[in-house]
Amino acid sequence: MGWEALGLWGNDAVRVERLKGGVANDIWSVRIGGELAVARLGKRGDADLAWEAELLQHLERNGLVVPAPIPTTDGRLFADGLVVMKYMEGGPPQSAGDWRRVAETLRELHRLTAGWPQRPGWRSSTDLLVADTGTRINLNAMPAEAVARCRAAWARLAGRPMSAVHGDPNPGNVRMTGDRVALIDWDEAHVDIADLDLDLPHNAAGFEAEAQDIVAQASAAWEAAVCWKDDYSVRRLAEVRPVAGVTG
């Protein structure tokens, strides 16, 4: 059905402007009932979209500012791969203080989702210590030495608290105003070690030096594995320390 499905949100629902971002999705600003919203058309399955919708509704009910789904006129939260979400105003973090607010918001996300079920088809970094694949990650496509680096980095986080994680809290996925922090683009959200969300500018999460290094290594390894093999993933892998005695 594609963008024709937008009519399920009302006869006056209309696309306004294509938005940047979203490698795997077509994202537009839209008007629904005269109000600005954001619509995302992609190829994720119903179980995946249901997991995301339930998570965002849970977070909104508990006080976080997130792009919760807007239902169709007959109450569905998505239709034929199309999701319509609340529009989040604001701009990216600009200062160390802004990033500390982001860290506080992420920690609240983690607190609210301890014990949350895994996103269908996904694997956590802990799972990938033994598993080879999970959603966008295929360790079989990486050189053995690169896999060893990644697994060694993730192993140092093993045993730490797990929860839902945003998965990609970069500046483009944060919308800040004077009184609130909104997290957008939950495509990479899944259940994992909570600290993976907290590799932030200015060490905003306040880690001690050794802990900060562990988190930074694990985060770089995750991004290398997810993006393999583009230029960004190669740069991120270069930040992960080699494992003694393992060659490619």
Side-chain angles (χ1 to χ4, degrees), residues 185-202:
D185 191 353
W186 292 74
D187 257 14
E188 301 299 319
H190 62 286
V191 169
D192 214 317
I193 302 293
D195 283 352
L196 278 171
D197 258 352
L198 298 173
D199 178 31
L200 302 172
H202 308 285

PDB file of all heavy atoms in Angstrom, residues 185-202:
ATOM      1  N   ASP A 185      13.912   8.747  16.846  1.00  0.00           N
ATOM      2  CA  ASP A 185      14.513   7.707  16.010  1.00  0.00           C
ATOM      3  C   ASP A 185      14.902   6.493  16.850  1.00  0.00           C
ATOM      4  O   ASP A 185      16.058   6.291  17.212  1.00  0.00           O
ATOM      5  CB  ASP A 185      15.718   8.236  15.249  1.00  0.00           C
ATOM      6  CG  ASP A 185      16.189   7.247  14.175  1.00  0.00           C
ATOM      7  OD1 ASP A 185      15.653   6.116  14.139  1.00  0.00           O
ATOM      8  OD2 ASP A 185      17.086   7.587  13.389  1.00  0.00           O
ATOM      9  N   TRP A 186      13.916   5.638  17.100  1.00  0.00           N
ATOM     10  CA  TRP A 186      14.096   4.454  17.934  1.00  0.00           C
ATOM     11  C   TRP A 186      14.334   3.197  17.102  1.00  0.00           C
ATOM     12  O   TRP A 186      14.106   2.078  17.569  1.00  0.00           O
ATOM     13  CB  TRP A 186      12.890   4.299  18.861  1.00  0.00           C
ATOM     14  CG  TRP A 186      12.837   5.385  19.891  1.00  0.00           C
ATOM     15  CD1 TRP A 186      12.482   6.693  19.706  1.00  0.00           C
ATOM     16  CD2 TRP A 186      13.201   5.280  21.272  1.00  0.00           C
ATOM     17  NE1 TRP A 186      12.602   7.405  20.885  1.00  0.00           N
ATOM     18  CE2 TRP A 186      13.034   6.565  21.860  1.00  0.00           C
ATOM     19  CE3 TRP A 186      13.643   4.229  22.073  1.00  0.00           C
ATOM     20  CZ2 TRP A 186      13.296   6.813  23.202  1.00  0.00           C
ATOM     21  CZ3 TRP A 186      13.898   4.472  23.423  1.00  0.00           C
ATOM     22  CH2 TRP A 186      13.731   5.756  23.969  1.00  0.00           C
ATOM     23  N   ASP A 187      14.820   3.360  15.875  1.00  0.00           N
ATOM     24  CA  ASP A 187      15.073   2.222  14.999  1.00  0.00           C
ATOM     25  C   ASP A 187      16.083   1.237  15.580  1.00  0.00           C
ATOM     26  O   ASP A 187      16.023   0.044  15.300  1.00  0.00           O
ATOM     27  CB  ASP A 187      15.599   2.720  13.646  1.00  0.00           C
ATOM     28  CG  ASP A 187      14.523   2.693  12.573  1.00  0.00           C
ATOM     29  OD1 ASP A 187      13.341   2.551  12.921  1.00  0.00           O
ATOM     30  OD2 ASP A 187      14.869   2.807  11.391  1.00  0.00           O
ATOM     31  N   GLU A 188      17.050   1.726  16.348  1.00  0.00           N
ATOM     32  CA  GLU A 188      18.103   0.870  16.883  1.00  0.00           C
ATOM     33  C   GLU A 188      17.822   0.414  18.315  1.00  0.00           C
ATOM     34  O   GLU A 188      18.655  -0.264  18.931  1.00  0.00           O
ATOM     35  CB  GLU A 188      19.449   1.604  16.845  1.00  0.00           C
ATOM     36  CG  GLU A 188      19.875   2.044  15.454  1.00  0.00           C
ATOM     37  CD  GLU A 188      20.060   0.882  14.507  1.00  0.00           C
ATOM     38  OE1 GLU A 188      20.615  -0.154  14.938  1.00  0.00           O
ATOM     39  OE2 GLU A 188      19.640   0.992  13.343  1.00  0.00           O
ATOM     40  N   ALA A 189      16.672   0.779  18.857  1.00  0.00           N
ATOM     41  CA  ALA A 189      16.334   0.391  20.233  1.00  0.00           C
ATOM     42  C   ALA A 189      16.220  -1.126  20.343  1.00  0.00           C
ATOM     43  O   ALA A 189      15.684  -1.788  19.457  1.00  0.00           O
ATOM     44  CB  ALA A 189      15.029   1.050  20.656  1.00  0.00           C
ATOM     45  N   HIS A 190      16.717  -1.660  21.438  1.00  0.00           N
ATOM     46  CA  HIS A 190      16.636  -3.086  21.724  1.00  0.00           C
ATOM     47  C   HIS A 190      17.011  -3.259  23.187  1.00  0.00           C
ATOM     48  O   HIS A 190      17.217  -2.280  23.893  1.00  0.00           O
ATOM     49  CB  HIS A 190      17.578  -3.886  20.804  1.00  0.00           C
ATOM     50  CG  HIS A 190      19.028  -3.542  20.974  1.00  0.00           C
ATOM     51  ND1 HIS A 190      19.594  -2.358  20.499  1.00  0.00           N
ATOM     52  CD2 HIS A 190      20.050  -4.219  21.572  1.00  0.00           C
ATOM     53  CE1 HIS A 190      20.875  -2.328  20.787  1.00  0.00           C
ATOM     54  NE2 HIS A 190      21.179  -3.442  21.444  1.00  0.00           N
ATOM     55  N   VAL A 191      17.079  -4.469  23.653  1.00  0.00           N
ATOM     56  CA  VAL A 191      17.497  -4.730  25.034  1.00  0.00           C
ATOM     57  C   VAL A 191      18.975  -5.082  25.040  1.00  0.00           C
ATOM     58  O   VAL A 191      19.425  -5.926  24.262  1.00  0.00           O
ATOM     59  CB  VAL A 191      16.658  -5.866  25.657  1.00  0.00           C
ATOM     60  CG1 VAL A 191      17.254  -6.315  26.990  1.00  0.00           C
ATOM     61  CG2 VAL A 191      15.220  -5.399  25.851  1.00  0.00           C
ATOM     62  N   ASP A 192      19.715  -4.406  25.918  1.00  0.00           N
ATOM     63  CA  ASP A 192      21.165  -4.626  25.972  1.00  0.00           C
ATOM     64  C   ASP A 192      21.693  -4.090  27.304  1.00  0.00           C
ATOM     65  O   ASP A 192      20.920  -3.622  28.153  1.00  0.00           O
ATOM     66  CB  ASP A 192      21.856  -3.921  24.797  1.00  0.00           C
ATOM     67  CG  ASP A 192      23.059  -4.689  24.287  1.00  0.00           C
ATOM     68  OD1 ASP A 192      23.849  -5.198  25.113  1.00  0.00           O
ATOM     69  OD2 ASP A 192      23.218  -4.783  23.058  1.00  0.00           O
ATOM     70  N   ILE A 193      23.013  -4.140  27.464  1.00  0.00           N
ATOM     71  CA  ILE A 193      23.654  -3.535  28.632  1.00  0.00           C
ATOM     72  C   ILE A 193      23.363  -2.030  28.603  1.00  0.00           C
ATOM     73  O   ILE A 193      23.673  -1.355  27.614  1.00  0.00           O
ATOM     74  CB  ILE A 193      25.169  -3.782  28.620  1.00  0.00           C
ATOM     75  CG1 ILE A 193      25.484  -5.282  28.585  1.00  0.00           C
ATOM     76  CG2 ILE A 193      25.816  -3.114  29.821  1.00  0.00           C
ATOM     77  CD1 ILE A 193      25.105  -6.051  29.820  1.00  0.00           C
ATOM     78  N   ALA A 194      22.779  -1.506  29.670  1.00  0.00           N
ATOM     79  CA  ALA A 194      22.340  -0.108  29.681  1.00  0.00           C
ATOM     80  C   ALA A 194      23.485   0.854  29.420  1.00  0.00           C
ATOM     81  O   ALA A 194      23.301   1.892  28.765  1.00  0.00           O
ATOM     82  CB  ALA A 194      21.666   0.209  31.022  1.00  0.00           C
ATOM     83  N   ASP A 195      24.685   0.520  29.894  1.00  0.00           N
ATOM     84  CA  ASP A 195      25.818   1.438  29.753  1.00  0.00           C
ATOM     85  C   ASP A 195      26.177   1.718  28.295  1.00  0.00           C
ATOM     86  O   ASP A 195      26.824   2.726  27.995  1.00  0.00           O
ATOM     87  CB  ASP A 195      27.053   0.888  30.480  1.00  0.00           C
ATOM     88  CG  ASP A 195      26.971   1.067  31.987  1.00  0.00           C
ATOM     89  OD1 ASP A 195      26.034   1.746  32.458  1.00  0.00           O
ATOM     90  OD2 ASP A 195      27.837   0.512  32.695  1.00  0.00           O
ATOM     91  N   LEU A 196      25.758   0.853  27.360  1.00  0.00           N
ATOM     92  CA  LEU A 196      26.067   1.104  25.950  1.00  0.00           C
ATOM     93  C   LEU A 196      25.434   2.392  25.445  1.00  0.00           C
ATOM     94  O   LEU A 196      25.909   2.972  24.461  1.00  0.00           O
ATOM     95  CB  LEU A 196      25.586  -0.069  25.087  1.00  0.00           C
ATOM     96  CG  LEU A 196      26.510  -1.286  25.015  1.00  0.00           C
ATOM     97  CD1 LEU A 196      25.808  -2.438  24.315  1.00  0.00           C
ATOM     98  CD2 LEU A 196      27.813  -0.943  24.300  1.00  0.00           C
ATOM     99  N   ASP A 197      24.370   2.849  26.092  1.00  0.00           N
ATOM    100  CA  ASP A 197      23.730   4.107  25.714  1.00  0.00           C
ATOM    101  C   ASP A 197      24.484   5.329  26.221  1.00  0.00           C
ATOM    102  O   ASP A 197      24.151   6.456  25.841  1.00  0.00           O
ATOM    103  CB  ASP A 197      22.316   4.171  26.315  1.00  0.00           C
ATOM    104  CG  ASP A 197      21.221   3.869  25.316  1.00  0.00           C
ATOM    105  OD1 ASP A 197      21.505   3.750  24.111  1.00  0.00           O
ATOM    106  OD2 ASP A 197      20.059   3.763  25.753  1.00  0.00           O
ATOM    107  N   LEU A 198      25.466   5.126  27.092  1.00  0.00           N
ATOM    108  CA  LEU A 198      26.014   6.242  27.855  1.00  0.00           C
ATOM    109  C   LEU A 198      27.430   6.641  27.450  1.00  0.00           C
ATOM    110  O   LEU A 198      28.127   7.324  28.204  1.00  0.00           O
ATOM    111  CB  LEU A 198      25.957   5.915  29.354  1.00  0.00           C
ATOM    112  CG  LEU A 198      24.537   5.706  29.893  1.00  0.00           C
ATOM    113  CD1 LEU A 198      24.586   5.221  31.338  1.00  0.00           C
ATOM    114  CD2 LEU A 198      23.720   6.989  29.794  1.00  0.00           C
ATOM    115  N   ASP A 199      27.831   6.241  26.263  1.00  0.00           N
ATOM    116  CA  ASP A 199      29.096   6.720  25.701  1.00  0.00           C
ATOM    117  C   ASP A 199      28.814   8.077  25.064  1.00  0.00           C
ATOM    118  O   ASP A 199      28.621   8.189  23.852  1.00  0.00           O
ATOM    119  CB  ASP A 199      29.638   5.722  24.686  1.00  0.00           C
ATOM    120  CG  ASP A 199      30.931   6.192  24.033  1.00  0.00           C
ATOM    121  OD1 ASP A 199      31.694   6.913  24.693  1.00  0.00           O
ATOM    122  OD2 ASP A 199      31.156   5.829  22.857  1.00  0.00           O
ATOM    123  N   LEU A 200      28.794   9.125  25.869  1.00  0.00           N
ATOM    124  CA  LEU A 200      28.305  10.440  25.455  1.00  0.00           C
ATOM    125  C   LEU A 200      29.406  11.493  25.486  1.00  0.00           C
ATOM    126  O   LEU A 200      30.402  11.349  26.213  1.00  0.00           O
ATOM    127  CB  LEU A 200      27.168  10.885  26.392  1.00  0.00           C
ATOM    128  CG  LEU A 200      25.960   9.942  26.471  1.00  0.00           C
ATOM    129  CD1 LEU A 200      25.008  10.407  27.568  1.00  0.00           C
ATOM    130  CD2 LEU A 200      25.237   9.863  25.132  1.00  0.00           C
ATOM    131  N   PRO A 201      29.273  12.559  24.698  1.00  0.00           N
ATOM    132  CA  PRO A 201      30.254  13.656  24.755  1.00  0.00           C
ATOM    133  C   PRO A 201      30.397  14.216  26.169  1.00  0.00           C
ATOM    134  O   PRO A 201      29.452  14.190  26.967  1.00  0.00           O
ATOM    135  CB  PRO A 201      29.647  14.699  23.806  1.00  0.00           C
ATOM    136  CG  PRO A 201      28.817  13.913  22.852  1.00  0.00           C
ATOM    137  CD  PRO A 201      28.239  12.781  23.661  1.00  0.00           C
ATOM    138  N   HIS A 202      31.593  14.716  26.448  1.00  0.00           N
ATOM    139  CA  HIS A 202      31.905  15.344  27.744  1.00  0.00           C
ATOM    140  C   HIS A 202      31.824  14.350  28.912  1.00  0.00           C
ATOM    141  O   HIS A 202      31.722  14.771  30.062  1.00  0.00           O
ATOM    142  CB  HIS A 202      30.972  16.530  28.033  1.00  0.00           C
ATOM    143  CG  HIS A 202      30.898  17.529  26.925  1.00  0.00           C
ATOM    144  ND1 HIS A 202      31.923  18.424  26.669  1.00  0.00           N
ATOM    145  CD2 HIS A 202      29.925  17.784  26.005  1.00  0.00           C
ATOM    146  CE1 HIS A 202      31.574  19.185  25.637  1.00  0.00           C
ATOM    147  NE2 HIS A 202      30.377  18.813  25.213  1.00  0.00           N
TER     148      HIS A 202
END
